[in-house]
Structures are given as C-alpha cells and as structure tokens.
Amino acid sequence: MARTKLVAGNWKMNKKVFEGTEFIEDIHQHINVKECEVVLCPPTIALTEISALLEDLESDVMLGAQNVHFEESGAYTGETAAGMLADIGVTHCIIGHSERREYFAETNETVNKKIKKTIEHSIVPIVCVGESLSQRENNETFDFIKTQIVEGFNGIDKEDVKLCVIAYEPIWAIGTGKTATSDQAEEVCKFIRETIKDLYDEETAEEIKILYGGSVKAANAKELFSMENIDGALVGGASLTSEFIDIVKAAL
Ligand code: PGA
C-alpha cells in the first residue's frame, strides 16, 4: 500500500510570531503541494495567527502543535488543552519529543494519555520514539523503542492507531548534525512497523505513517525517503530556513 509522504517542521522555541508569518509568506508558493502532506509546528503563541494566515493563503500546509496537556481543562497553569488546539485549526501534535522527555519529565504514561486526548479531539499525534547513544552502543535500541511503543499506545484502538504518526528520532542525531544512515533509520522504522503488526495487525502496520527525524537536511532527505518503511521526516533545524522547501520537494 502506498502511504502518502509527510514532512513535518518542528520550529521548537524559535521565531517570534511576525517572523513565523513572514517565513510562511515567503515559502508559501513552494510548499503548497498536494502530492505530500506538510505540517508546520510553530511555538504555541504563534498558532492562532499562523492558522489564520494559512487559511487566508488557502494553503494545503497543515498546522501542528509541539505539545498538549492530557486533561480536558482545569487548573494546569501554562498548559494548552487539545480542545483549544482543535478549536483554532490545529490538526497535528508532536507528543513525547525527546526534549520533552528529557527536560519536562514526559514519560510513556503521559505520552499515552496525550495520544488518547488528541485522538478524542481528532488531532493526529506525531509520537516520537528513539534511543540515546549509550542505549544504541549497548544494543538496547530495539527493547527501548518497543517499550516506548507498547506503553505509549496502551489501550488505543487499532482504528485510531492507523491515523497516528510515529517519528523515529534517535536522540544522538537530533540537532547534532549526525544523521542516522538511511540503513540505520530504515532498520528501526521497519522494526517499529513490525512492532505495530505484532500489537495490532498487518493492515494497521501498513497504514500507520513512520517518519525519521534527526538532522534531516536537503542533502540526505531523498535517500531517507526512498527507504521502504520511511514515510517522511520530522525536521528541526532545517525547517527554520528555505532548506525546508527542498526537503519537501525530496518527498514528491
Ligand atoms: P533536528 O531536530 O532536525 O534539528 O535534528 C529534529 C527534531 O528534534 O525533531
């Protein structure tokens, strides 16, 4: 089954609102493509304005959040609810990014609750998994990622899982300039698909999109995208500049 490619840009804590809107106006013509899915994930403060801009531009680019809270609403100072995101046109949400796991105490349990909450609000979760350098060196990669998936997707129906996205992001490749080779990335993405098949079934495993993330650049995107189990990329640094256009083009 041919899965449509997806390229997501994670701006992390970069670009003021006006910088984000200017950037989108600049690149709009080049990334308004129907052959692949493009999602931009600006900081929360810019979501409302960028949502309105994408609508004005009649853009096909979709809007993603970088984080969400797992409760519906309430006394959670500084947090954003899934219903609030859906209300302003957010269609995707990054969940369990390694930076959130490391700096903000995100666990497989909170990842699981957040996946359920986004699904409830028809937001597609982009669930990040990936091993550290020491885990890779100690041959713990597969066990670690399997646990992230088993616990992260615990209690989620297969019809919902089919609509989810998993991003394989080896921590040692994020922001380091060190990309996993396409074979290394494919090996783990294939393992992730097999894990989904074991947990659910072949149909679910064939439908779910699996992205690679970690120093994706225009120079390595095409080769990564040519791998059987890699359905696109989650791009950090290179999504902040016009290089992102070339990465999207590599997915076409
Ligand atoms: P990078 O970040 O492309 O800058 O390595 C990827 C990510 O953190 O999603």
Side-chain angles (χ1 to χ4, degrees):
M1 188 199 125
R3 292 174 294 269
T4 319
K5 290 265 189 290
L6 188 160
V7 181
N10 174 11
W11 291 357
K12 307 191 179 181
M13 199 171 71
N14 293 293
K15 292 193 192 292
K16 295 195 175 78
V17 178
F18 81 92
E19 291 168 327
T21 52
E22 273 178 18
F23 177 71
I24 287 177
E25 275 166 6
D26 281 352
I27 64 170
H28 162 64
Q29 295 299 342
H30 306 281
I31 57 168
N32 210 19
V33 290
K34 297 216 176 342
E35 299 88 343
C36 84
E37 296 174 13
V38 180
V39 179
L40 283 176
C41 306
T44 310
I45 196 170
L47 287 171
T48 307
E49 201 144 333
I50 289 183
S51 179
L53 174 63
L54 292 174
E55 204 176 322
D56 281 355
L57 294 170
E58 296 181 4
S59 174
D60 293 321
V61 171
M62 293 178 280
L63 190 60
Q66 297 176 15
N67 184 34
V68 65
H69 196 270
F70 50 76
E71 292 292 350
E72 188 59 30
S73 63
Y76 301 99
T77 303
E79 293 291 325
T80 310
M84 298 171 184
L85 296 174
D87 182 50
I88 57 156
V90 168
T91 55
H92 291 69
C93 183
I94 299 171
I95 293 179
H97 190 282
S98 60
E99 286 152 15
R100 293 214 58 89
R101 291 179 190 258
E102 184 180 351
Y103 308 133
F104 303 98
E106 194 88 84
T107 62
N108 292 339
E109 196 188 339
T110 59
V111 166
N112 179 253
K113 289 182 183 173
K114 289 179 180 196
I115 297 174
K116 288 177 177 161
K117 189 48 82 178
T118 49
I119 288 171
E120 228 177 279
H121 287 276
S122 303
I123 292 174
V124 176
I126 301 176
V127 183
C128 301
V129 297
E131 81 287 3
S132 66
L133 185 58
S134 67
Q135 285 166 330
R136 175 159 281 262
E137 286 171 349
N138 293 326
N139 292 322
E140 293 163 6
T141 299
F142 294 122
D143 283 348
F144 182 70
I145 288 175
K146 185 169 182 179
T147 304
Q148 286 185 315
I149 292 175
V150 170
E151 294 182 3
F153 284 90
N154 183 29
I156 299 174
D157 287 351
K158 78 172 193 181
E159 292 310 320
D160 290 328
V161 174
K162 283 179 190 171
L163 305 173
C164 295
V165 177
I166 297 177
Y168 167 53
E169 298 210 305
I171 297 169
W172 49 270
I174 296 178
T176 57
K178 235 193 242 176
T179 324
T181 64
S182 46
D183 288 336
Q184 281 174 322
E186 167 65 14
E187 185 186 27
V188 180
C189 290
K190 184 167 182 239
F191 171 77
I192 292 171
R193 206 174 294 287
E194 278 162 4
T195 304
I196 293 293
K197 186 177 157 193
D198 294 345
L199 289 173
Y200 296 92
D201 55 23
E202 177 135 22
E203 190 192 347
T204 310
E206 282 304 309
E207 284 191 34
I208 194 168
K209 281 196 215 307
I210 303 175
L211 313 180
Y212 167 77
S215 300
V216 174
K217 307 178 215 43
N220 57 27
K222 208 166 186 93
E223 197 184 327
L224 286 162
F225 295 162
S226 71
M227 307 309 283
E228 196 182 330
N229 287 288
I230 300 180
D231 305 318
L234 180 54
V235 185
S239 72
L240 296 170
T241 68
S242 57
E243 185 172 1
F244 189 65
I245 297 167
D246 295 322
I247 297 174
V248 171
K249 283 185 181 155
L252 298 178

